[in-house]
Amino acid sequence: MPIRRIVLLGDVCGRPGRLAIQQRLPDLRRQIAADFVIVNCENAAAGYGITSRLAAELLDSGADCLTTGDHAFDRREGWPLFDAEVRVLRPLNYPPGAPGRGSAVYDTQGFRVGVVNLQGRVFMKALDCPFRRVTPVVEEICRQTRIMIVDFHAEATAEKQSMGWFLDGRVSAVIGTHTHVQTADERILPGGTAYITDAGMCGSFDSVLGVRKEQSLRRLIEGLPAKLDAGTGDVRLNGVLVEIDEVSGRSVSIQRISEPVELTESAQTFV
């Protein structure tokens, strides 16, 4: 049976994460023979949102599709990107009228991949119900391809697990993003859907979720607003590699990716 290898890399956090993608993704893609690469870019612009220039950098580095989440529209200058670039998605369950699209089907290397971007509602801003919104989209994509990846950008582990069970047997993978902490619960659900609660992040791990430790601590301890900059040390790429049977769309394996990236000396001076 033909097996397709799909990679999803977790939230790219600031310039350290972007540089890690630029330096490591081209070789990583070749080494693991990835057929398609999805990168969550919603924290790419100094931790908040995405711009056209930064999206182009990530796509040029080997990403085939960029997903987002609750920070998708933080940069107003990036709003036109979501209408202009089909390879950049925002959560499907934004209300009607939001720029862009929440799903797409991509033709690549002789096969098709459907990607759906969803956002959770528990402990997050109010959006339309992701469970209700995703159902007709999954049915439509299934008429075009059996390979379908869902990036579920959500805070609560229970909501993420619920989405995994809800879509089991209907999509190839439900991969959680948003919390920046890679979980150890990757598995294949009974219906053939690969699942993990969170893919992790691409950025500095000498940090608090990619943010400089001292700034995060000050905000928590003093209770006052504080500027948050990206950390710079111990940079890694986090994500998952999913192997999928092209004919059935069922996943046959899922494994975590955690790749250290040695950035150049000059790259360590950014904020």
Side-chain angles (χ1 to χ4, degrees), residues 252-267:
V252 297
S253 72
I254 177 172
Q255 63 185 75
R256 281 172 280 152
I257 296 170
S258 185
E259 288 273 331
V261 181
E262 291 291 335
L263 300 183
T264 63
E265 184 68 25
S266 60

Side-chain angles (χ1 to χ4, degrees), residues 180-234:
H180 293 204
V181 177
Q182 188 179 69
T183 55
D185 61 339
E186 72 278 12
R187 54 177 164 160
I188 307 296
L189 299 177
T193 295
Y195 173 84
I196 189 169
T197 297
D198 205 282
M201 74 170 184
C202 300
S204 168
F205 280 70
D206 183 21
S207 69
V208 175
L209 304 183
V211 172
R212 291 186 176 181
K213 301 188 297 292
E214 62 275 15
Q215 294 174 338
S216 181
L217 286 168
R218 181 180 179 185
R219 188 171 70 166
L220 290 170
I221 294 169
E222 297 179 0
L224 299 174
K227 185 176 184 291
L228 299 178
D229 299 313
T232 59
D234 188 14

Side-chain angles (χ1 to χ4, degrees), residues 54-66 85 87-88:
L54 300 184
E57 287 180 6
L58 296 172
L59 292 167
D60 289 344
S61 298
D64 296 297
C65 170
L66 304 179
E85 176 56 80
R87 293 175 294 175
V88 180

Side-chain angles (χ1 to χ4, degrees), residues 36 38 64-65 85-89 92 101-117 136-149:
F36 194 83
I38 304 163
D64 296 297
C65 170
E85 176 56 80
V86 70
R87 293 175 294 175
V88 180
L89 302 179
L92 173 72
R101 60 197 62 79
S103 66
V105 175
Y106 303 98
D107 290 294
T108 178
Q109 302 186 46
F111 71 104
R112 285 182 166 183
V113 179
V115 181
V116 181
N117 196 175
V137 173
V138 167
E139 292 172 354
E140 173 60 29
I141 292 177
C142 279
R143 290 192 277 268
Q144 302 177 63
T145 179
R146 297 298 301 171
I147 299 178
M148 195 183 327
I149 311 297

Side-chain angles (χ1 to χ4, degrees), residues 146 164-165 167-171 189-193 250:
R146 297 298 301 171
W165 289 113
L167 292 176
D168 184 29
R170 295 194 279 172
V171 304
L189 299 177
T193 295
R250 293 170 63 98

